[in-house]
Amino acid sequence: MECETINWLNMHHGKYELSHSGMSNVFDIKAYFSRAVPGHENDLKQEIAGLHNTEAENVVLTHGATEAFSMVLYHLRSKYNTFNVNRPEYEMIYKTPKIFGYKNGNEVFVASNPNNPTGTISKLPEYFTCIIDETFMEFVDNLSNYRYENGYIVNTFTKVYGGGDLRLGYIIAPDKEEAMKIEGFKGLITEDVSTFNVSIGYEILKKHDELLGNVKNIINQNHRVLIKDKSKLKFYNGMDPLKLPVSFVDYSYYTGKNSDYISEELAKKGIIAIPSKYFGISGPYLRVCITGEDFPEAYAALLTALEEME
């Protein structure tokens, strides 16, 4: 099994990158590396716990949301055999459980919330153990507002802070006992996060409100363009996306060609948008991200290219 989304992104590059869901050029994350002081693991956990209105003992630091999601799935595999997922959904969410041997069923529910790619809030079932990727939650709400009974939250510094190079994420476990069990995997199936990266994460969160404010300004401006200037585009199931980096656009007014074909034709014109099959469904949909400072220009190029489709 492989991550086809990553493979596709590695093979497609252009002037207008509508495929990147993480913020970029919001601030210079490289500058933090030059003044990082090793340490601050407990300080970082305290900062994260404050954002989630939980205890620092419930926080497990990871190398990102992908690792965090896998660690929780591995942890729960001794108790559960089946998982449930609603699509469209990010490829990691619906493929990773199968790597660990989970079958389709009704024990563990996995989801991104808000949903990647639709940019909408997911409705979660009540009677499951949940693993929820909240990568995009801070764009629309406080992280402390959502709790999942008998559930696990995973998050990353990659999206809001544009920290892909930082390789830093975390798990919020239901209690400290569960967190300690997951911590026990370090040194066996994964490693501790670099003390330098931990330090940088701590310095970033000390400026949390300022940085988040700047990010939301960019997203809010681009979201207005997305909604106001959508022309004949529609959105998945007729639902306008929230003010989030991702949206799942329906281009069916312009052409009946499948999204694989459309994405390849757009790429020839330097416009990069991911087709729907990588989110587990077929249909006339592309994921369009609004994180770029050049989004208005890129979006106009997308609409023009769709108008010219035969």
Side-chain angles (χ1 to χ4, degrees), residues 75-267:
H75 168 61
L76 294 176
R77 187 62 183 87
S78 62
K79 293 194 290 185
Y80 302 116
N81 298 308
T82 64
F83 81 106
N84 192 290
V85 62
N86 294 327
R87 301 185 193 189
E89 186 56 87
Y90 182 53
E91 192 174 0
M92 175 193 79
I93 302 291
Y94 67 83
K95 277 192 172 180
T96 310
K98 294 182 178 180
I99 292 175
F100 287 100
Y102 289 86
K103 307 298 182 184
N104 294 328
N106 295 308
E107 292 178 296
V108 176
F109 180 76
V110 294
S112 56
N113 192 34
N115 177 260
N116 179 4
T118 65
T120 58
I121 294 289
S122 302
K123 185 176 181 180
L124 307 181
E126 296 181 12
Y127 303 108
F128 286 75
T129 293
C130 294
I131 311 174
I132 308 300
D133 182 343
E134 285 195 345
T135 291
F136 296 121
M137 185 61 77
E138 238 184 327
F139 288 96
V140 293
D141 215 337
N142 294 325
L143 294 178
S144 61
N145 283 4
Y146 290 83
R147 297 263 62 83
Y148 309 104
E149 293 298 327
N150 198 30
Y152 300 77
I153 294 169
V154 304
N155 211 327
T156 180
F157 280 63
T158 303
K159 306 303 182 183
V160 173
Y161 309 106
D165 292 335
L166 188 57
R167 309 313 305 154
L168 183 62
Y170 58 89
I171 299 162
I172 303 292
D175 53 54
K176 66 179 182 180
E177 287 77 18
E178 293 295 290
M180 288 177 62
K181 291 175 183 176
I182 297 172
E183 284 278 8
F185 299 149
K186 293 179 178 179
L188 297 174
I189 61 173
T190 187
E191 297 291 339
D192 272 322
V193 178
S194 160
T195 55
F196 281 95
N197 292 21
V198 168
S199 173
I200 294 167
Y202 173 59
E203 294 298 326
I204 287 172
L205 289 193
K206 285 200 298 184
K207 298 179 63 177
H208 170 270
D209 291 350
E210 174 190 342
L211 297 174
L212 182 61
N214 293 339
V215 164
K216 283 192 171 184
N217 283 338
I218 295 170
I219 292 298
N220 290 348
Q221 291 170 16
N222 288 345
H223 185 264
R224 283 195 291 271
V225 174
L226 177 74
I227 301 300
K228 180 176 178 291
D229 300 334
K230 65 181 181 179
S231 188
K232 307 299 191 303
L233 282 180
K234 297 178 287 186
F235 297 104
Y236 184 73
N237 282 349
M239 299 181 294
D240 282 2
L242 300 170
K243 294 177 182 178
L244 291 164
V246 294
S247 62
F248 214 33
V249 299
D250 177 346
Y251 61 80
S252 58
Y253 175 88
Y254 297 95
T255 177
K257 299 287 180 63
N258 68 53
S259 61
D260 282 352
Y261 173 85
I262 297 302
S263 288
E264 294 299 329
E265 291 300 301
L266 290 172

Side-chain angles (χ1 to χ4, degrees), residues 65-75 92 96 100 154 189:
T66 301
E67 180 180 274
F69 190 68
S70 295
M71 288 173 72
V72 177
L73 282 168
Y74 183 80
H75 168 61
M92 175 193 79
T96 310
F100 287 100
V154 304
I189 61 173

Side-chain angles (χ1 to χ4, degrees), residues 24-36:
S24 59
N25 302 319
V26 177
F27 66 100
D28 184 11
I29 196 168
K30 293 183 177 63
Y32 284 85
F33 282 92
S34 64
R35 59 177 186 267

